[in-house]
Structure formats: structure tokens, C-alpha cells
């Protein structure tokens, strides 16, 4: 193999780092969103790499729904120390208290939709003009047309018809006051790429991604973890199963998968052979086929 | 068992490279079906996606699962039943990862096709075997060629509907090949397929025993793309300067082409300052070399001033540094047409500058390559234009380098991206290019070409000296802008003239009007400036004149170059000495202010250092003595020399 051979992971890494640096160079007040999941961990790690030996020249921000798995927050704080990043936290809880949003009715309300308001409020509070997000195009059909630099109008809305063509490696980040850009440096990564890279770089990941035993309930074809924010509905019964998570988000709607994957290699093997998409396990996406597209138009990531 | 296969897959993927491709076809040629087929047959479709497809297909009343639905994203499009934007999909085999930029083929969507094509290594063009080569099929080829996609695969689809006829296939291939002679495509392939039935998509079909080539997917897995990379011209547009502490100043960016090694000599554009590569850094590691496609940080041996938008290149391999060039422009804005009156923002590599499109040379018909006169371009129209930018761009022609040859235009009011362009060449003609190259070479040596002899004519220098009554001489006044060089020069000229001397004066103001009108303030051009003036001075000297030159000439090297053209006693260097503060105070035209504000360049004492002469023939104190007195001193000094 020639010394100039570069494999997929090298190419994706270089592309993401290029984009993260473009954001730092083109914007006055960028911020990187951090959810605690693998994509956020990956993206913040790439930012850490991009500016080394300098520090990441912008803060990270976590919009905390309050419905976290215990491990998520401790992992988050530890990780920030490790990469030397500054973290801002905004709570959906506060938006509810201030009457900016209303908690969903019914048992085990999901706060996934509510976090959009908290996010938009935080963006304007800090006058952030660009938010980096860890979304990937392979996650969902509506994401397939997302740009690296996604333009949002003054209301934080995404208009699929009003996106800028992106050619070569030229990203147009110019905007008028009030408008902002969401930038997605890992757009071209697939779930398998993410795990292979994590394995290659030997990153420590939250234990939730690995197999463990937990109390779960099967709701439709989704497996949900039981806990304070997720209790049994009438007529349901719980079971104890070996599971792991493919995504980590709001506990109320993040589905688990049955798995015995103990290490990164096991996860890579499992994903290489899997027959279900990552979001197949997300309760909120299954509500309607165009679910994601609707949420995105309103400003969801 | 499944796990064993997965392990094998996981082991193999480590050395998988990446191929980006784009697809184009007219509505109903079967593009979506073909992509769906590739994803499906290479087992890239997840069970829940299939279930969803089955449900939607059923809802629509289709009997079979419609694979085309897989690649069809937004609801608006679903309603119209066509794809209207660029959608990206991913799949991989054991050998390669593929990124598909899926774009619609209708003329109305030329802009999307161009976008998808800009980064593609390969294009799949679909032709319906029943319809043969249509206008659209030609258009897709033209766009692939304009955007420099190295590999084009023409899939002749729906072979099942023409009974897998070899004759039909050959006929279409023949016709397309003839047309493609006009294109600039390095590698053109033809494959007979049926997207619906799966013939020759993933595996070879028994329905086409006459076809000897590879099935589509195998072809895409094996096509060599490494040879398409430009590993020759090192270009490093600086993205972001990283300066964590005093001891580290790194320039981050992507090596868009070429390679560079530690220790190699580089030059920074536009300052033209030289240095050597000290280190290639990436995260906690240091490397000996950086290659095309890598995002790295470079450190240099010397502290030279470099910021975002500058470009680091090899000293012996410099791109074009120009602010006028010709390009092929694709207009992408539906709201306003191109206007030659408008000022646009131009984004190129990591720099942005203002630009005017001065002229539409012609409009290109994307269906026929026919050229037509035009004064503007509308959405999806393509034309050749002349562009002038406020700052110089560092570019290569697009055929040579996609990353330094492509640019976008942005509307300065709402910041929408309104056009994309590919640079063909600089506006100076090729003859000019050649001359410039020779000029540069000449600069290195400065010796007259051997084959050219000095023509003494019929009037010898002695004759002139006898007639004039004095010897020729070169008086070279150097000093800061505002020191008083010109005023002193004028006085000296007048006094000598009144005495009956044969005298001429060369001044910046006058040579800038014509002789040096084409030069700017880059280092190369400043050197050229002095070279030309020096030779002119020498010619005038050879014809018996006393030549008075008043040029700031701040660099020792510049003055030494002129001095080397004369012998001792025939060249008088006069330092018109004044402090920067005083020079600035005298400046009536606001030149210093402009330079400090970055509006003027190359001003001695501001962005070019003024290197005082160490040992001039004469030093004038211009701070305290006035011009008349100083002129007297010059006359006094030279009287014995002429
Ligand atoms: N018989 C036959 N029909 C095909 C083939 N490929 C596509 N089609 C049909 O042609 C129609 C248009 O296909 P589609 O993939 O939606 O075309 P697109 O507009 O280019 O994306 C659909 O009804 C397909 O089923 C083929 O190879 N053979």
C-alpha cells in the first residue's frame, strides 16, 4: 500500500477538522452542542484534536432535559476535564419553570421536543452565531439533504428550500444579525465509522453503550429502560435483560437494544452485521414518518 | 456464523478508502431504482427501513416494494414524486466506502448537479435504453466534464425492456462516444443494466453474455482514484493561526494538493516572504511530511507574518497570483440574475474578497456546448466570464487543481451563495505568462542574454561627452516617502540644466504612469520595478546623460542591484535622511495613513522596512536643512565627477 494511501477514517477525520476550524475562523461566537452521546463525544474529541496544542476556542453547551441516565452527567464532567473544554449547561427544567414551555401531558412525558426552546433561548442569551452539532446524514432520511453549514433564519427555523449550495470545501458562513448557522462536521460519518474511529483512537465511552443488565419494558418494538422518568404503564410488565444503548438521549424515549457487546470490537462487529437503523429504537421518531423533518423545521437539531 | 462474517468485515474495513460519486439521469430513467438496488443488493438496507418502504409502497397501492423510495427524502419532493435537492447516502463494501451525492437530472436543477459534482470522483449517468441518447444525457456529460469529474460511467438502463439487445447497447455507446469527444473526461465506461431486475448492478447478468466488462458495483470498487489526486503542487491555504503560547505559532489548514516535508523551503503568499518548514504537527504527534487531503498544522523556521487567507506554497512552485482571470460561471440564484454592475463577495480557498464580473464573454448551452452572446446569466445558466477581484487570488486553473481553481460568489446584501465558478486561466494572455516567467528568471541573474550584442551605433559616448562638455553620471536619491527626494531632485535638475548640462530625471510618479504601470507592491514586482528603472537609468547614462533618480528604494538589495550596473565614480548614492515621524508629518497626501489602515501597500517604514544605506556617497540631513541647501550640496559633490 502506498505511503499516501488514506483510509476512510483518515479522510472523514480531516474533513471534520477542516470544518470545525472553518467555524472557529468564520464566526465571532460559535458554540458546540454536547448531548453526552457518542456523536457529541466524537465531535468534541475532534475539536480537541483540531486546535491542539491550543485549546478549543469556543465553549461547549449541554441542553439538559433533566431526564438523564446517572452516568451521563458524571461522564460529561470528566470528559470536559480530559479535553480541557469549557462547558455551559442550560436546563429544560428552567424553561418549564419560567413558563417558556409546558411539560407534556400524560404519563412519562418526553422532554425531547421541549429542549428546542431551551436551546434557542440559550443561543440568543449568549448571542451565539453558530452552533456545531453532531448530527449525521445517515441517521434519518430528512437529514440526507442537510448541509455542513445549515442556515437558520431569525426564528431558528430550517427551510429546506432556502439552503445554500455547498461546493468543494467552500462553506459560506455569512449571515445577517439574528440569523445563525448550524454546522455539522460529522455529517458524512456512519454509525460504523463512528465506532471504528472510537476504537482506533481507543476512547473511553460511557458504560451505557456496552452490555449491562437492566430493568426494561417492551413498548411496541421499542425497549425502554425503567427508572424515575419511565415507569410502567397499566398492563405492562417489566423484565430483566442484557441490553446496551445505541444512542443516549432523553431517558423517556431512548430505546435500548438487546446485546452482549462488551468491548469496542464487539460493538463494531455488531454494527457491521446489524439489520436495524440506529433510530429504529427511538420512540419519538416512530410517531410519524415525517417526524424528524417536522421537528427540524421548528429548530430541532 | 453471522458473527464470524462480521468479524471478517470488521478486519477488512480498516483499509477501506472512500469514493464520492454523483448520479444523474432524467426523470424516470431509473436513477432512484438503481441506487436503491445498489443499497439493497449490497445489503445496506436495514430491516426497519425496508419495513417502512413496504408500508409506504402498500399505502400507494404498489405490489412490489419500490426501491426508489429509499433515496427519496423530503416530503415536498415525495408529493411531487421527484428528487429536487442534493441528497447524500452512504454505503460500503469490504473494499470501499461510498458517498453518493444524489441529484436530479432536469435542466432546472443544473445547480444541484453542479454542487454534487464538485467533489465527486465518479459520475453515474443514466440513459434509458429505449430512448437512447437524449439532450439530457449530453447535458449530464457536459456538467461532469465542466466540473472535472475524472471517471464517468454511463449506465444504459432498462435493458430488460429492449430484450437485452447488444445491438441497441452498441448503438447508444457509439453515439455517446462520438459526442464525448468534445468533452474533457479522462475515463468513460458503459455498462448495460436493469436497475429493476438487478442485471449487472452487483453481479454479472446471464442476460447479457455479450457484455465482458464488470458489473457496476465491482467497477466502482476497483476504479483507481489515487491517480486523480494532485500530489505535485503543494498548496496550503491557511485556515486558522494557532498560538497557545509564545513558543508555538502554528498555521492550521488542509493540504489541498501536493506534499511538503520538514526542512523544505516555502514562500508565503501574498507577502512573498521565505522560510522553511520546521514541523508538521497533528495532535500530539509530529510528522516528517504532510500530504494532499490532510488537515495539519505547519510551523515555520522564521517569524513571518501569515494569517487566514494567505497561502503557503513551495518556493519553486507558485500558483497564479492575480486579481483578473477568466472563469466558467454557473448561476445559482433564482431571485436575481448576474449583473456586471454589482459588487459580489468572492470566496476562494480560505479567503474572501470583493469581486466584479466585468463581462460575460459568452453563454454556454449546456445541452449542446453551443456558445451564444449574452450580457447576463440567470438561474442554472452557464457562461464564460471575466472577473476582477479587490485582492489577489492564489489560484491554479481548475483542470489542474479543483481546490484552488473553484470559487463561489455571494450576494453582499443577503449573503446567499449565488454562483459557482471554475477558473480557466488568468486574463493575461499566455504570451504574457511566458514573458513573466522569463522576467522572473531574468531577475535571478540580471545578466544580459548572451546572444544579444550591444549596438554602439555611429555616435560614441566620447563624442557625446565632448559635445555636452561633461561626463555622464547616475545620482540615486533614496529615502522615506516625504523625505524630500523629489523636491531636491527637481532643484538639482534645474540647476544643472541652467548650467547647460545634459540632464534627465526619473521619478516614481512618472514611471508609474506607463513603464511600471503593470507592477504592484508584491516583492517580485518591487524587484522588477527597480530592475527596470535601473536598466533605463543605465541606458540614459550610456547616451551621455546625468540621470537623477528619486525612488524610495528602501531595501539594500534593491540599491545594490542598480549600483552593480555602474562602475565606481559613475554612481552616486544619496541618502535623503529624515526620521519617520518627520516624514509622516510632511505627508500631505495621507499616504502613511492609508498604509497604516491597510489601504495602500508596500510603503517603506510601514509594511516594508527602510534599510538605511550604511555607506552612501552622500548623506543629506533633510530633517534640518531645506531642499535648496541640500541641492547645493549635491551639486557641489558631483561637480568633480562630471
Ligand atoms: N423495466 C424496467 N423499469 C425500470 C428500470 N429501472 C427503473 N425502472 C422503472 O422506471 C420508473 C422510474 O424509476 P425511478 O427510479 O423512480 O426513476 P428516477 O426518476 O430516475 O429516479 C419506475 O417505475 C421504475 O420501476 C429497469 O431497469 N427496467
Amino acid at each position: 500500500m502506498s505511503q499516501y494511501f488514506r483510509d476512510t477514517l483518515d479522510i472523514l477525520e480531516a474533513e471534520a477538522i477542516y470544518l470545525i476550524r472553518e467555524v472557529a475562523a468564520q464566526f465571532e461566537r460559535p458554540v458546540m452542542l454536547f448531548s453526552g452521546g457518542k456523536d457529541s463525544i466524537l465531535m468534541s474529541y475532534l475539536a480537541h484534536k483540531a486546535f491542539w496544542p491550543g485549546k478549543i476556542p469556543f465553549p461547549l453547551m449541554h441542553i439538559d432535559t433533566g431526564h438523564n441516565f446517572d452516568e451521563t452527567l458524571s461522564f460529561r464532567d470528566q470528559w470536559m476535564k480530559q479535553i480541557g473544554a469549557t462547558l455551559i449547561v442550560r436546563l429544560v427544567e428552567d424553561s418549564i419553570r419560567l413558563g417558556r414551555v409546558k411539560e407534556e401531558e400524560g404519563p412519562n412525558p418526553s422532554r425531547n421536543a421541549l429542549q428546542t426552546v431551551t436551546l434557542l433561548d440559550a443561543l440568543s442569551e449568549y448571542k451565539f452565531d453558530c452552533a456545531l452539532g453532531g448530527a449525521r446524514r445517515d441517521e434519518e432520511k430528512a437529514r440526507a439533504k442537510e448541509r455542513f453549514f445549515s442556515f437558520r433564519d431569525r426564528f431558528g427555523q430550517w427551510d429546506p428550500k432556502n439552503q445554500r449550495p455547498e461546493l468543494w470545501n467552500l462553506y459560506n458562513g455569512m449571515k445577517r444579525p439574528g440569523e445563525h448557522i448550524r454546522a455539522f462536521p460529522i455529517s458524512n460519518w456512519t454509525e460504523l465509522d463512528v465506532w471504528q474511529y472510537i476504537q482506533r483512537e481507543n476512547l473511553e465511552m460511557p458504560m451505557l453503550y456496552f452490555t449491562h443488565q437492566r430493568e426494561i419494558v417492551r413498548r411496541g418494538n421499542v425497549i425502554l429502560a425503567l427508572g424515575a422518568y419511565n415507569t410502567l404503564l397499566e398492563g405492562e410488565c417489566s423484565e430483566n435483560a442484557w441490553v446496551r444503548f445505541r444512542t443516549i438521549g432523553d431517558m423517556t424515549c431512548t430505546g435500548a437494544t438487546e446485546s452482549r457487546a462488551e468491548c469496542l470490537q464487539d460493538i463494531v462487529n455488531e454494527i457491521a452485521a446489524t439489520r436495524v437503523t440506529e433510530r429504529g429504537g427511538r420512540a419519538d421518531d416512530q410517531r410519524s414518518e415525517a417526524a424528524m423533518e417536522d421537528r427540524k423545521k421548528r429548530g430541532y437539531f | 456464523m453471522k458473527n464470524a462474517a462480521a468479524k471478517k468485515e470488521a478486519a477488512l474495513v480498516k483499509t477501506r478508502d472512500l469514493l464520492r460519486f454523483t448520479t444523474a439521469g432524467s426523470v424516470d430513467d431509473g436513477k432512484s431504482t438503481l441506487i436503491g438496488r445498489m443499497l439493497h443488493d449490497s445489503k445496506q438496507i436495514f430491516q426497519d427501513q425496508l419495513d417502512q418502504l413496504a408500508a409506504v409502497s402498500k399505502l400507494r397501492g404498489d405490489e412490489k416494494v419500490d426501491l426508489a423510495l429509499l433515496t427519496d427524502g423530503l416530503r415536498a419532493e415525495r408529493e411531487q414524486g421527484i428528487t429536487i435537492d442534493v441528497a447524500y447516502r452512504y454505503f460500503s463494501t469490504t473494499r470501499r466506502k461510498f458517498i453518493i451525492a444524489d441529484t436530479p437530472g432536469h435542466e432546472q436543477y443544473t445547480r444541484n448537479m453542479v454542487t454534487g459534482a464538485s467533489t465527486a470522483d465518479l459520475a453515474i449517468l443514466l440513459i434509458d435504453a429505449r430512448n437512447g441518447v437524449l439532450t439530457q444525457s449530453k447535458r449530464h456529460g457536459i456538467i461532469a466534464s465542466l466540473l472535472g469529474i475524472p471517471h464517468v460511467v454511463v449506465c444504459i438502463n432498462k435493458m430488460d425492456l429492449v430484450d437485452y439487445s447488444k445491438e441497441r447497447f452498441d448503438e447508444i455507446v457509439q453515439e455517446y462516444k462520438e459526442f464525448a469527444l468534445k468533452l474533457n473526461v479522462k475515463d468513460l465506461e458503459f455498462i448495460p443494466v436493469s436497475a429493476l431486475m438487478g442485471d449487472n448492478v452487483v453481479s454479472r447478468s446471464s442476460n447479457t453474455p455479450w457484455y465482458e466488462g464488470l458489473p457496476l458495483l465491482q467497477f466502482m470498487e476497483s476504479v483507481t482514484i489515487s491517480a486523480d489526486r494532485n500530489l505535485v503542487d503543494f498548496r496550503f491555504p491557511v485556515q486558522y493561526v494557532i498560538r497557545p503560547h509564545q513558543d508555538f505559532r502554528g498555521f492550521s489548514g488542509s493540504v489541498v494538493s501536493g506534499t511538503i516535508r520538514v526542512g523544505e523551503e516555502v514562500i508565503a503568499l501574498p507577502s512573498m516572504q521565505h522560510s522553511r518548514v520546521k514541523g508538521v504537527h497533528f495532535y500530539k504527534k509530529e510528522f516528517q511530511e504532510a500530504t494532499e487531503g490532510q488537515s495539519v498544522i505547519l510551523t515555520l523556521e522564521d517569524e513571518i507574518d501569515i494569517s487566514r487567507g494567505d497561502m503557503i506554497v513551495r518556493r519553486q512552485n507558485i500558483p497564479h497570483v492575480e486579481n483578473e482571470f477568466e472563469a466558467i460561471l454557473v448561476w445559482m440564484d433564482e431571485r436575481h440574475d448576474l449583473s456586471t454592475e454589482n459588487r459580489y463577495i468572492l470566496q476562494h480557498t480560505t479567503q474572501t474578497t470583493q469581486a466584479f464580473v466585468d463581462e460575460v464573454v459568452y453563454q454556454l448551452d449546456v445541452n449542446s456546448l453551443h456558445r451564444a452572446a449574452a450580457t447576463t446569466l440567470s438561474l442554472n445558466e452557464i457562461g464564460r466570464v471575466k472577473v476582477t477581484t479587490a485582492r489577489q487570488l492564489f489560484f491554479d486553473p481548475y483542470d489542474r487543481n479543483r481546490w484552488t481553481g473553484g470559487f463561489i460568489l455571494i450576494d453582499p446584501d443577503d449573503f446567499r451563495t449565488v454562483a459557482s465558478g471554475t477558473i480557466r486561466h488568468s486574463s493575461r494572455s499566455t504570451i504574457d505568462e511566458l514573458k513573466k516567467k522569463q522576467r522572473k528568471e531574468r531577475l535571478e541573474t540580471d545578466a544580459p542574454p548572451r546572444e544579444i550584442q550591444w549596438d554602439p551605433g555611429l555616435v560614441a559616448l566620447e563624442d557625446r561627452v565632448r559635445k555636452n562638455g561633461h561626463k555622464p553620471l547616475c545620482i540615486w536619491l533614496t529615502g522615506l516617502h516625504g523625505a524630500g527626494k523629489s523636491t531636491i531632485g527637481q532643484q538639482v535638475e534645474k540647476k544643472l540644466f541652467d548650467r547647460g548640462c545634459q540632464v534627465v530625471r526619473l521619478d516614481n510618479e512618472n514611471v508609474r504612469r506607463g513603464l511600471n504601470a503593470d507592477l504592484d507592491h508584491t516583492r517580485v514586482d518591487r524587484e522588477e520595478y527597480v530592475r527596470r528603472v535601473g536598466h533605463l537609468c543605465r541606458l540614459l547614462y550610456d547616451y551621455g546623460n546625468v540621470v537623477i533618480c528619486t525612488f524610495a528604494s528602501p531595501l539594500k538589495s534593491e540599491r545594490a542591484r542598480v549600483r552593480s550596473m555602474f562602475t565606481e565614480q559613475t554612481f552616486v548614492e544619496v541618502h535623503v535622511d529624515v526620521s519617520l515621524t518627520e516624514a509622516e508629518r510632511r505627508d500631505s497626501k495621507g499616504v502613511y495613513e492609508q498604509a497604516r489602515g491597510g489601504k495602500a501597500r508596500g510603503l517603506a517604514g510601514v509594511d516594508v522596512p527602510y534599510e538605511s544605506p550604511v555607506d552612501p556617497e552622500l548623506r543629506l540631513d533633510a530633517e534640518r536643512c531645506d531642499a535648496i541647501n541640500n541641492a547645493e550640496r549635491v551639486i557641489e559633490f558631483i561637480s568633480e565627477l562630471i
Side-chain angles (χ1 to χ4, degrees):
Chain A
M1 202 133 287
S2 136
Q3 57 171 325
Y4 297 127
F5 176 85
R6 289 181 313 124
D7 86 350
T8 295
L9 295 182
D10 298 329
I11 296 168
L12 293 174
E13 178 190 60
E15 177 184 83
I17 284 179
Y18 181 84
L19 201 92
I20 292 170
R21 287 175 181 160
E22 275 305 286
V23 168
Q26 289 194 29
F27 296 92
E28 274 168 45
R29 301 176 67 86
V31 64
M32 179 175 276
L33 300 184
F34 185 87
S35 72
K38 63 179 186 309
D39 297 329
S40 297
I41 295 171
L42 167 68
M43 178 172 63
S44 53
Y45 174 71
L46 290 166
H48 173 59
K49 269 190 144 177
F51 301 103
W52 181 270
K55 282 186 149 231
I56 302 178
F58 42 74
L60 276 71
M61 182 161 77
H62 183 204
I63 301 298
D64 184 350
T65 61
H67 291 172
N68 297 300
F69 294 96
D70 294 340
E71 191 196 353
T72 304
L73 298 188
S74 57
F75 184 92
R76 176 193 78 189
D77 297 338
Q78 179 55 37
W79 176 248
M80 293 302 150
K81 264 196 218 122
Q82 205 174 315
I83 62 169
T86 314
L87 181 74
I88 297 169
V89 179
R90 280 292 170 273
L91 306 171
V92 172
E93 195 68 48
D94 289 340
S95 304
I96 297 174
R97 229 188 2 251
L98 293 170
R100 298 278 299 140
V101 290
K102 254 173 84 184
E103 188 97 77
E104 270 186 11
E105 315 251 319
N108 302 324
S110 163
R111 288 182 175 174
N112 226 18
L114 306 190
Q115 58 179 330
T116 302
V117 173
T118 315
L119 169 66
L120 293 179
D121 286 352
L123 291 180
S124 58
E125 174 190 346
Y126 285 96
K127 299 199 168 54
F128 287 130
D129 54 358
C130 175
L132 283 148
R136 308 191 325 265
R137 286 176 182 146
D138 85 322
E139 278 176 83
E140 224 274 345
K141 270 203 269 178
R143 291 241 194 251
K145 316 212 162 174
E146 188 63 277
R147 305 292 200 268
F148 276 91
F149 271 23
S150 171
F151 176 79
R152 305 293 162 113
D153 65 16
R154 291 191 355 240
F155 307 99
Q157 294 176 101
W158 177 74
D159 176 1
K161 290 240 159 57
N162 192 15
Q163 295 298 315
R164 297 166 176 177
E166 280 177 349
L167 295 104
W168 303 291
N169 57 352
L170 301 175
Y171 302 102
N172 169 5
M174 295 188 181
K175 60 196 171 357
R176 289 178 289 196
E179 296 170 341
H180 64 273
I181 302 282
R182 304 246 173 118
F184 301 107
I186 59 166
S187 291
N188 278 334
W189 298 56
T190 59
E191 190 186 10
L192 184 59
D193 296 325
V194 171
W195 283 110
Q196 284 184 324
Y197 185 79
I198 289 170
Q199 186 189 17
R200 188 180 93 172
E201 303 289 304
N202 201 13
L203 299 184
E204 216 174 291
M205 296 301 283
M207 290 317 293
L208 291 164
Y209 285 114
F210 302 93
T211 186
H212 55 281
Q213 261 191 315
R214 124 175 351 255
E215 281 282 303
I216 56 121
V217 59
R218 292 178 199 270
R219 199 169 285 162
N221 44 15
V222 181
I223 300 174
L224 288 169
L226 288 171
Y229 310 109
N230 229 3
T231 47
L232 286 179
L233 303 179
E234 231 184 86
E236 283 180 338
C237 42
S238 69
E239 36 179 307
N240 207 320
W242 284 97
V243 295
R244 71 175 203 90
F245 291 89
R246 285 173 77 181
T247 60
I248 295 181
D250 187 306
M251 255 186 97
T252 56
C253 58
T254 305
T257 42
E258 279 181 285
S259 164
R260 299 301 283 248
E262 285 171 12
C263 60
L264 292 172
Q265 183 64 53
D266 290 346
I267 294 180
V268 167
N269 293 348
E270 183 182 289
I271 289 165
T274 191
R275 301 287 298 135
V276 182
T277 58
E278 212 175 335
R279 283 187 171 266
R282 280 187 79 129
D284 51 342
D285 284 346
Q286 297 203 338
R287 291 184 189 177
S288 92
E289 209 221 325
M292 173 68 103
E293 200 178 317
D294 287 338
R295 272 185 292 146
K296 268 181 65 174
K297 281 191 177 156
R298 291 196 308 266
Y300 181 81
F301 251 80
Chain B
M1 201 50 241
K2 193 170 122 196
N3 231 359
K7 275 208 179 99
K8 196 168 145 225
E9 147 104 346
L12 279 169
V13 288
K14 294 231 162 94
T15 50
R16 211 152 46 172
D17 67 356
L18 182 71
L19 182 131
R20 297 176 203 254
F21 72 95
T22 166
T23 53
S26 313
V27 181
D28 283 349
D29 277 353
K31 184 166 61 71
S32 311
T33 312
L34 181 70
I35 296 174
R37 172 60 65 189
M38 276 198 278
L39 295 177
H40 181 266
D41 288 7
S42 59
K43 311 222 164 21
Q44 297 291 324
I45 300 178
F46 296 114
Q47 194 55 50
D48 54 329
Q49 284 176 322
L50 269 182
D51 294 346
Q52 216 178 17
L53 285 191
V56 175
S57 301
K58 204 168 151 199
L59 213 69
R60 286 200 184 167
D62 299 343
E63 300 153 30
K64 281 173 59 181
V65 173
D66 185 355
L67 290 177
L69 285 173
L70 259 179
T71 62
D72 159 55
L74 300 183
R75 198 187 318 182
E77 299 165 8
R78 211 166 305 161
E79 277 158 14
Q80 292 170 36
I82 44 165
T83 27
I84 51 169
D85 206 318
V86 190
Y88 295 87
R89 327 263 160 208
Y90 305 86
F91 72 98
S92 45
T93 65
T94 47
R95 295 169 70 174
R96 268 198 174 139
K97 166 165 170 154
F98 295 94
I99 301 183
I100 317 175
D102 181 17
T103 64
H106 194 273
E107 185 160 6
Q108 202 183 333
Y109 304 118
T110 295
R111 129 175 104 171
N112 300 328
M113 232 184 306
V114 167
T115 303
S118 71
T119 52
D121 302 302
L122 179 147
I124 296 183
L125 309 185
L126 268 105
I127 291 180
D128 186 325
R130 294 170 303 174
N131 303 335
V133 181
L134 302 179
T135 317
Q136 293 93 297
S137 328
K138 294 186 179 169
R139 179 173 62 243
H140 303 150
I142 290 171
I143 289 173
S145 154
L146 275 179
L147 272 291
I149 302 180
H151 308 275
V152 172
V153 187
V154 179
C155 285
I156 297 172
N157 189 31
K158 306 198 185 179
M159 287 301 292
D160 54 311
L161 298 182
V162 295
D163 297 326
Y164 299 99
S165 152
K166 177 179 188 310
E167 285 67 39
R168 182 66 185 141
F169 177 76
D170 288 344
E171 199 181 348
I172 295 171
V173 169
Q174 190 53 37
E175 192 182 345
Y176 205 82
K177 272 191 175 159
E178 253 161 55
F179 155 74
L181 289 175
K182 288 189 258 178
L183 304 180
N184 172 28
V185 172
K186 284 190 211 145
D187 173 22
L188 182 64
E189 292 288 331
F190 297 87
I191 306 181
V193 301
S194 166
L196 194 68
M197 307 302 182
D199 299 279
N200 292 329
V201 176
V202 171
S203 46
R204 190 180 295 275
S205 164
S206 55
N207 291 322
T208 53
W210 45 266
Y211 172 67
E212 288 169 357
L214 294 172
L216 179 61
L217 192 66
Q218 273 184 42
F219 175 78
M220 299 216 301
E221 276 188 310
S222 57
V223 60
T224 315
I225 48 171
S226 52
D228 306 328
R229 297 159 68 190
N230 178 338
L231 292 172
V232 177
D233 307 312
F234 173 67
R235 304 285 183 257
F236 188 78
V238 174
Q239 248 192 312
Y240 189 83
V241 180
I242 292 177
R243 178 152 225 186
H245 47 79
Q246 282 305 309
D247 305 328
F248 189 93
R249 189 173 143 83
F251 306 105
S252 76
S254 162
V255 182
V256 297
S257 59
T259 63
I260 196 81
R261 294 187 69 83
V262 170
E264 279 190 281
E265 204 172 348
V266 290
I267 189 166
L269 301 172
S271 75
M272 290 292 210
Q273 297 192 67
H274 302 175
S275 187
R276 283 177 191 279
V277 175
K278 186 169 155 198
V280 173
H281 304 254
F282 181 56
Y283 197 39
K284 296 178 183 172
K285 291 207 195 96
E286 273 199 53
F287 299 85
Q288 281 305 307
E289 186 176 40
T291 316
E292 180 263 1
Q294 291 179 323
S295 284
V296 293
I297 295 175
L298 297 185
T299 51
L300 302 182
E301 279 178 5
D302 308 274
E303 272 269 328
I304 58 179
D305 193 24
I306 298 180
S307 48
R308 175 175 167 85
D310 293 358
M311 189 184 277
I312 300 174
V313 300
R314 229 195 226 100
R315 193 175 173 194
Q316 310 300 349
N317 180 339
I318 299 177
H320 292 261
V321 181
E322 314 269 357
N323 62 355
E324 283 173 38
F325 52 85
E326 287 196 20
I328 301 284
L329 207 64
V330 180
W331 200 253
M332 301 185 147
D333 191 33
E334 62 266 41
R335 297 198 303 193
H336 308 287
D337 293 349
L338 164 68
S339 160
T340 48
E341 305 294 313
N342 272 8
R343 192 172 44 82
Y344 294 101
I345 298 167
L346 184 147
Q347 193 173 350
H348 172 256
T349 64
T350 54
Q351 80 162 326
T352 45
T353 180
Q354 307 202 345
F356 280 102
V357 176
D358 299 317
E359 185 190 333
V360 179
V361 184
Y362 56 77
Q363 188 188 329
L364 193 69
D365 184 332
V366 271
N367 296 322
S368 63
L369 282 177
H370 185 76
R371 297 170 181 188
T375 52
T376 180
L377 297 172
S378 312
L379 178 64
N380 294 314
E381 288 181 349
I382 299 182
R384 182 160 190 137
V385 296
K386 289 188 178 169
V387 180
T388 304
T389 53
R391 288 178 57 189
Q392 289 175 319
L393 301 188
F394 323 123
F395 67 84
D396 298 285
Y398 186 81
D399 331 354
R400 182 156 181 99
N401 197 326
R402 273 180 165 187
W403 310 104
T404 58
F407 65 88
I408 57 172
L409 292 183
I410 297 167
D411 183 311
D413 294 325
D414 58 14
F415 301 123
R416 292 154 59 96
T417 301
V418 294
S420 69
T422 51
I423 303 178
R424 294 290 126 161
H425 60 66
S426 72
S427 279
R428 304 188 186 187
S429 66
T430 30
I431 293 176
D432 280 353
E433 281 306 310
L434 238 161
K435 279 195 187 140
K436 207 175 157 198
K437 213 174 138 222
Q438 287 171 346
R439 205 175 88 195
K440 268 204 201 112
E441 280 163 13
R442 184 67 42 73
L443 265 175
E444 311 284 340
T445 59
D446 214 14
R450 233 180 278 140
E451 68 280 11
I452 299 178
Q453 301 289 324
W454 172 259
D455 169 13
L458 300 175
V459 184
L461 181 59
E462 288 80 354
D463 304 333
R464 296 180 198 271
V465 171
R466 207 171 310 123
K467 178 175 177 252
N468 293 341
H470 64 82
K471 287 191 277 182
L473 180 72
C474 174
I475 310 171
W476 188 273
L477 282 77
T478 166
L480 293 170
H481 172 82
K485 297 181 297 296
S486 300
T487 323
I488 297 170
Q490 287 162 8
Q491 290 295 332
V492 173
E493 182 185 26
K494 179 81 170 83
K495 288 199 159 83
L496 290 177
F497 182 81
D498 288 345
R499 281 204 214 164
C501 277
Q502 186 67 32
V503 60
V504 291
R505 187 173 54 87
L506 298 179
D507 188 273
N508 176 50
E509 235 64 295
N510 298 353
V511 299
R512 274 258 176 242
R513 288 169 60 88
L515 180 66
N516 284 354
D518 58 334
L519 301 180
D520 56 30
H521 295 289
T522 57
R523 190 166 177 151
V524 174
D525 276 8
R526 285 209 322 270
E527 279 180 31
E528 168 67 3
Y529 184 110
V530 174
R531 191 189 70 83
R532 281 188 201 170
V533 172
H535 279 288
L536 175 58
C537 192
R538 174 68 215 215
L539 282 172
L540 291 168
Y541 169 91
D542 286 331
Y543 296 128
N545 295 283
V546 172
V547 194
I548 304 166
C549 296
T550 56
F551 300 103
S553 47
L555 302 183
K556 272 185 208 140
S557 56
E558 297 171 340
R559 298 184 304 256
R561 177 190 289 275
V562 183
R563 184 187 281 275
S564 71
M565 298 176 190
F566 295 88
T567 53
E568 274 229 283
Q569 307 276 312
T570 65
F571 183 81
V572 177
E573 187 178 344
V574 182
H575 180 199
V576 184
D577 195 3
V578 76
S579 68
L580 185 58
T581 336
E582 178 59 16
E584 217 163 335
R585 200 185 57 74
R586 290 182 195 173
D587 172 27
S588 53
K589 293 183 207 145
V591 175
Y592 281 96
E593 202 179 317
Q594 278 178 16
R596 293 206 189 281
K599 283 191 212 103
R601 301 187 80 154
L603 188 66
V606 180
D607 58 347
V608 178
Y610 182 77
E611 303 172 351
S612 291
V614 189
D615 197 9
E617 271 76 11
L618 186 63
R619 209 183 61 83
L620 301 176
D621 183 351
E623 192 108 12
R624 268 165 283 167
C625 302
D626 65 18
I628 310 269
N629 276 311
N630 277 329
E632 284 296 351
R633 284 200 58 205
V634 176
I635 303 277
E636 220 175 277
F637 185 81
I638 63 154
S639 293
E640 331 170 356
L641 297 177
I642 60 174

